Amino acid sequence: VAADLFSLSGKSILITGASSGIGRQAAITCAERGATLIISGRDEARLNDTLKRLPGSGHRAVTADLTDAAQMVRLADEAGAVHGFFHSAGVAAIAPFRMVSQKHLDTLLKANFEAPVLLTQRLLSKRQVQAGGSIVFNTAGAADNSPNASAIYSAAKAALRAASRTLALEVARNRIRVTCLQLGYIHTEMLERLSEQGMAPDDLSSHIPLGEGTPVDAANAVVFLLSDASRWISRTSLIVDGGLSLRISR
Ligand SMILES: NC(=O)c1ccc[n+]([C@@H]2O[C@H](COP(=O)([O-])OP(=O)(O)OC[C@H]3O[C@@H](n4cnc5c(N)ncnc54)[C@H](OP(=O)(O)O)[C@@H]3O)[C@@H](O)[C@H]2O)c1
């Protein structure tokens, strides 16, 4: 019988942002595929709720604010050896360019760019990412499409994508792959908060050729990128947006 290349059985996978939204669903779907998870988030109660929902055994939860250097290092150390790493933690906030402040810049760049870069650096410098491993960053369609009032969010995600391409070159000799998941709008707590600020149009799904996406749609793409089925895919982004981005740029 041919091996199931889409299985995550025997793999130890680190997922950040697992206390909510896409990271939470990715953790559940990866566990369903046989992975052993180390999940992280800031909110202990919601993180433990994710932990309870994971099928299988041996999973661990580590609470950490990744913009705090000591907490980031603690997470990296507690993660041990990993075969896959999905960095989903991130924050979104809107501001028209003329209202961009130092605080806005710091918040978005620290969480969306510096934290994933520094956590990945730490894991690699301690040789925790195993040969044949896969690193996946949750960037965003915004990195290309740059919607209104999202200059700094879009820039942070685009910066992460650019950095990931160089990283992918540097780790290829260890057969480690680096990719970005470039999502369109997916209904999560983040989107609810943005809707409250007037960012997301109510009729969003009518703009998406395949209609509204779900965290499961994102999680299935994460499984593919973390599995051996994508062993020849690196230095690129997978767009998962129901066809939205092509429609916009037509
Ligand atoms: N939803 C979308 O439509 C969409 C589209 C494109 C890209 N994305 C990207 O997908 C990722 C996940 O978004 P989501 O929709 O799942 O949002 P979400 O439901 O708000 O979840 C965000 C997660 O990131 C964690 N997080 C935020 N700041 C952190 C920090 N400083 N340290 C550690 N963890 C931190 C949160 O932890 P706590 O809740 O515990 O604080 C939470 O687990 C983000 O990177 C986002 O930019 C989302």
Side-chain angles (χ1 to χ4, degrees):
V1 181
D4 178 3
L5 292 175
F6 293 86
S7 167
L8 296 178
S9 184
K11 292 188 193 292
S12 180
I13 305 278
L14 169 62
I15 298 187
T16 66
S19 50
S20 181
I22 293 154
R24 167 179 278 168
Q25 184 59 51
I28 294 168
T29 305
C30 286
E32 286 169 353
R33 285 277 163 178
T36 305
L37 274 298
I38 303 108
I39 57 170
S40 188
R42 288 178 301 192
D43 188 291
E44 191 171 9
R46 281 190 281 104
L47 188 65
N48 283 330
D49 185 48
T50 305
L51 188 65
K52 280 192 214 130
R53 297 196 209 180
L54 301 182
S57 60
H59 311 297
R60 289 175 290 140
V62 180
T63 308
D65 182 335
L66 298 176
T67 61
D68 179 295
Q71 294 184 40
M72 180 276 285
V73 166
R74 185 170 50 79
L75 169 61
D77 290 352
E78 290 189 22
V82 297
H83 304 93
F85 169 31
F86 176 49
H87 190 96
S88 192
V91 294
I94 52 173
F97 209 99
R98 68 181 187 287
M99 294 173 74
V100 167
S101 62
Q102 188 66 52
K103 184 165 178 275
H104 181 75
L105 272 168
D106 288 347
T107 303
L108 291 179
L109 289 173
K110 272 186 192 299
N112 296 323
F113 179 67
E114 290 182 26
V117 166
L118 292 171
L119 179 56
T120 307
Q121 185 278 335
R122 176 78 188 185
L123 292 169
L124 290 170
S125 68
K126 297 289 177 183
R127 301 184 194 287
Q128 289 172 246
V129 184
Q130 303 301 287
S134 170
I135 298 170
V136 182
F137 295 113
N138 202 351
T139 57
D144 277 334
N145 298 326
S146 307
N148 269 329
S150 79
I152 308 309
Y153 176 76
S154 301
K157 295 293 192 179
L160 182 59
R161 187 177 57 180
S164 77
R165 291 172 174 166
T166 296
L167 169 62
L169 267 188
E170 294 176 2
V171 296
R173 65 175 180 279
N174 295 328
R175 290 187 299 110
I176 296 170
R177 303 178 293 107
V178 186
T179 51
C180 293
L181 182 65
Q182 201 162 307
L183 295 173
Y185 296 106
I186 302 236
H187 199 89
T188 63
E189 292 80 348
M190 176 180 282
L191 209 59
E192 273 170 27
R193 285 191 296 273
L194 288 175
S195 295
E196 283 161 17
Q197 295 172 45
M199 166 76 175
D202 291 339
D203 64 341
L204 203 54
S205 56
S206 68
H207 296 280
I208 305 172
L210 285 178
E212 204 171 305
T214 68
V216 173
D217 296 315
N220 287 335
V222 174
V223 166
F224 170 61
L225 292 173
L226 291 175
S227 75
D228 294 342
S230 59
R231 63 171 287 277
W232 210 49
I233 299 177
S234 191
R235 299 191 80 212
T236 192
S237 300
L238 179 59
I239 297 174
V240 178
D241 69 354
L244 176 69
S245 48
L246 266 189
R247 172 104 175 242
I248 279 177
S249 57
R250 195 163 58 190

